[in-house]
Amino acid sequence: MTDFIIIAVLAVIVGAAAAYIIRARKRGQKCIGCPYSKTCASRGCGCGCGTEGE
């Protein structure tokens, strides 16, 4: 029973993280977690989202 609870908690955490990433991508954020993600390429914030290859 303990294993089931641990697996369920981990599944909820992974699901919530995936939902957050999907919502952020739909809003147009390139660097999720960067406070300037929508304007990062023009600001040059240093998080790397404005670099080539993305």
Side-chain angles (χ1 to χ4, degrees):
M1 184 66 175
T2 305
D3 291 338
F4 177 74
I5 293 171
I6 292 172
I7 291 171
V9 169
L10 288 175
V12 168
I13 291 170
V14 169
Y20 174 78
I21 291 170
I22 291 168
R23 281 193 312 263
R25 290 286 180 176
K26 284 185 178 181
R27 282 183 265 148
Q29 294 179 351
K30 292 182 181 179
C31 281
I32 298 169
C34 175
Y36 306 112
S37 61
K38 288 189 178 181
T39 59
C40 188
S42 63
R43 285 180 167 291
C45 67
C47 71
C49 67
T51 60
E52 290 184 34
E54 286 199 21

